[in-house]
Amino acid sequence: MAFLTLSSYVLQAYTDSISAYKYVVSIYNKDQAYYIAQSAFELAKSILDRDDPSVDTLNDLWALPFEFNKDNVKVKITIYDENRFINLNNTKDSGYRKIYENLFRNLSINQSFLNRLYVWTGAQEGSIPINYPIKKRPLDSLYELKLLGFSDEDLYGKMLGNQFYPGLLSISTVFTDGKINVNTAPVPVLKALNPKIDDNLASKIVDYRKKNPFKSPNDLVLVQGFTFDMLYSISPYIDVKSSVFHIKVEVSVGDTNLQVDYIYNRNQKTVIYKEII
């Protein structure tokens, strides 16, 4: 009996020591992963800072994913420009309101939710059927849209019949000055710029810029079907360069995984947002 009792104590002590060891290793790996993520961010930032800021395209070095694997360490860096998206904070601009109307219509989102966005950001007076006080200031995060009653389908995407409609979270931002880079903007964003830009014309723009990135917004008229009238209507809201970039760093050290997201303003050379996941 004494032997069994002693064995039980030894086994428990061994188990506790193994658990403590795993805990210490986990903490060490997490710290190591964070420092690696910081170094990876500095690398990404240096690539952006050395890049030509006058024109940004999907052919640039920063737009290519980078992966590094050695021993038990894996690092992946993904960079995309926030200027490819539509900023939902320009609600007081009449021209941008037309873009929002096109966007919500194209995504099959009820226009009443657009009015909620205007009221929430203080662009117009009114009430919202929610249990929160109205902010009356610009969005700090896209996830505030959940407070306004937007459904998960509207935010993350939905299937209607045989057609998929992207969600707002995948094509909008709160971090830019509102300029949209036509060299990097996806099809749903291009279509929102003007109701005359349909799927066919948006695809032509994407195909054209793959071989001939736009050096100036005026180059859009070189795309067959794009008119000067369209250019005139959207010129205040487009550009061929980007200033704000999303740098996502994913690190694995052993069994420990860490993701750090940085929003980096290249013009100001500052991190304006950081999140550790």
Side-chain angles (χ1 to χ4, degrees):
M1 180 65 69
F3 175 77
L4 291 177
T5 301
L6 180 60
S7 298
S8 176
Y9 283 134
V10 170
L11 180 60
Q12 183 63 47
Y14 176 76
T15 302
D16 290 344
S17 66
I18 291 296
S19 298
Y21 174 76
K22 289 182 178 180
Y23 176 76
V24 170
V25 169
S26 174
I27 295 297
Y28 172 78
N29 286 348
K30 184 163 290 187
D31 287 343
Q32 187 179 19
Y34 178 74
Y35 288 119
I36 292 172
Q38 283 290 97
S39 298
F41 166 70
E42 292 298 328
L43 172 63
K45 185 165 69 72
S46 68
I47 292 173
L48 287 170
D49 290 342
R50 290 198 304 266
D51 186 65
D52 178 7
S54 63
V55 176
D56 290 295
T57 79
L58 296 177
N59 300 325
D60 291 348
L61 180 61
W62 61 260
L64 305 176
F66 172 82
E67 292 191 44
F68 170 84
N69 299 313
K70 186 175 182 181
D71 299 330
N72 68 332
V73 176
K74 297 180 181 179
V75 181
K76 182 178 180 181
I77 304 173
T78 306
I79 305 174
Y80 59 84
D81 59 315
E82 290 285 315
N83 290 90
R84 71 181 60 186
F85 301 138
I86 295 173
N87 192 318
L88 295 184
N89 277 329
N90 287 10
T91 51
K92 295 182 180 180
D93 185 298
S94 59
Y96 230 108
R97 283 193 171 204
K98 293 179 181 178
I99 294 176
Y100 295 146
E101 291 170 6
N102 296 335
L103 178 65
F104 276 53
R105 181 170 56 252
N106 294 342
L107 298 185
S108 193
I109 299 176
N110 194 302
Q111 294 285 320
S112 65
F113 285 95
L114 185 52
N115 290 327
R116 294 190 185 191
L117 177 63
Y118 294 155
V119 173
W120 180 261
T121 56
Q124 72 181 34
E125 295 296 324
S127 61
I128 307 175
I130 58 176
N131 297 322
Y132 307 95
I134 297 175
K135 185 178 182 181
K136 293 188 178 182
R137 294 194 311 277
L139 299 167
D140 294 308
S141 167
L142 290 174
Y143 292 100
E144 289 179 37
L145 296 175
K146 289 188 175 184
L147 303 180
L148 306 185
F150 282 79
S151 69
D152 285 345
E153 288 187 332
D154 289 339
L155 296 179
Y156 297 100
K158 56 180 175 284
M159 289 292 299
L160 293 178
N162 296 322
Q163 185 172 352
F164 176 74
Y165 293 83
L168 276 174
L169 296 184
S170 66
I171 54 177
S172 55
T173 182
V174 298
F175 297 112
T176 69
D177 60 1
K179 289 285 189 176
I180 297 168
N181 188 340
V182 292
N183 272 324
T184 59
V187 166
V189 173
L190 293 172
K191 289 174 59 180
L193 291 173
N194 187 292
K196 293 181 180 179
I197 303 178
D198 55 14
D199 283 312
N200 182 49
L201 183 52
S203 296
K204 287 182 178 180
I205 293 172
V206 171
D207 291 338
Y208 184 93
R209 75 190 187 192
K210 286 180 182 177
K211 297 180 179 179
N212 304 285
F214 304 116
K215 304 294 185 183
S216 162
N218 296 337
D219 290 347
L220 279 168
V221 298
L222 300 176
V223 179
Q224 184 181 14
F226 198 96
T227 67
F228 282 99
D229 287 341
M230 294 182 196
L231 179 63
Y232 178 78
S233 68
I234 69 175
S235 58
Y237 310 105
I238 61 174
D239 210 331
V240 294
K241 58 186 179 181
S242 301
S243 59
V244 180
F245 295 82
H246 188 136
I247 302 172
K248 180 170 73 172
V249 180
E250 299 168 272
V251 180
S252 297
V253 179
D255 295 330
T256 301
N257 299 313
L258 180 73
Q259 176 180 320
V260 186
D261 289 86
Y262 305 83
I263 304 297
Y264 177 64
N265 188 312
R266 182 173 60 185
N267 292 350
Q268 300 175 1
K269 298 190 182 306
T270 58
V271 175
I272 57 180
Y273 178 82
K274 178 180 176 181
E275 181 179 13
I276 301 175
I277 301 174

